Amino acid sequence: MTVRPATPADSAAVWRLLNGFVTSYRPDRAVFEDVTFPQVLKSAAEGGAEFLVAERDSATVGYVLAVRMPTLFAGGTVLELLELTVDAGLRGGGIGSALIRAVQARAEAAGDVEVTVPTRRAGEFYRRLGFDETATYFKWSRS
Ligand SMILES: CC(C)(COP(=O)(O)OP(=O)(O)OC[C@H]1O[C@@H](n2cnc3c(N)ncnc32)[C@H](O)[C@@H]1OP(=O)(O)O)[C@@H](O)C(=O)NCCC(=O)NCCS
């Protein structure tokens, strides 16, 4: 299994993985293809995001997306993990951990002050990877 930056060729696999991941939103295929997927690839190419995939036996079996934000309070950039998912049939085999370790390595290389992640479902998973519980997360959604 390897972890590498996502490319346009990962589009179909990431679309499939995304649909197994989201709970609060229903992704639209045309918006994904024409807007969000290219936008995220561009941001990653410019250093504003980390968008990595896990590849096993030539198949894309997981992805992680984190966005890099400039801050004043931390005295540098902060990386926030927003999406992480692994093929349902392959969970528990270390793929998710490998994706997070790759993000942590890239955060170190980029000089990010911290990596944060809002999560309802995977707190224990992140604890094992060195994350500590911190602030409560609030959300405002456009109606
Ligand atoms: C969370 C997720 C990415 C983990 O990927 P994975 O490949 O299964 O993770 P790993 O195999 O590296 O797991 C490492 C350890 O964490 C545990 N773990 C995995 N997911 C967990 C979860 N949601 N909650 C608590 N522990 C979890 C595993 O059991 C494993 O423990 P072990 O070493 O004792 O066997 C995967 O379960 C997934 O895609 N879940 C659905 C989407 C999701 O919840 N994403 C996170 C949103 S922030």
Side-chain angles (χ1 to χ4, degrees), residues 3 50-53 62-66 81 83-85 99-100 103:
V3 174
E50 295 294 346
F51 185 23
L52 308 176
V53 297
Y63 79 89
V64 63
L65 171 63
L81 271 155
E83 301 179 30
L84 168 70
T85 189
L99 284 165
I100 296 301
V103 165

Side-chain angles (χ1 to χ4, degrees), residues 26-107:
R26 183 175 301 175
D28 180 294
R29 183 81 191 237
V31 171
F32 172 86
E33 297 283 357
D34 299 341
V35 183
T36 56
F37 187 72
Q39 205 169 49
V40 166
L41 282 175
K42 180 169 183 281
S43 180
E46 292 168 352
E50 295 294 346
F51 185 23
L52 308 176
V53 297
E55 184 177 313
R56 205 176 88 158
D57 300 332
S58 305
T60 300
V61 294
Y63 79 89
V64 63
L65 171 63
V67 296
R68 181 165 285 116
M69 299 171 287
T71 71
L72 298 175
F73 80 91
T77 52
V78 163
L79 194 65
E80 179 143 305
L81 271 155
L82 293 179
E83 301 179 30
L84 168 70
T85 189
V86 168
D87 210 323
L90 296 172
R91 290 178 191 165
I95 295 170
S97 298
L99 284 165
I100 296 301
R101 286 199 197 94
V103 165
Q104 289 167 321
R106 283 170 172 263

Side-chain angles (χ1 to χ4, degrees), residues 21 84-86 90-98 117-119 121-126 128:
F21 165 72
L84 168 70
T85 189
V86 168
L90 296 172
R91 290 178 191 165
I95 295 170
S97 298
V117 55
T119 186
R121 300 180 265 171
E124 200 47 44
F125 168 78
Y126 289 108
R128 287 168 188 229

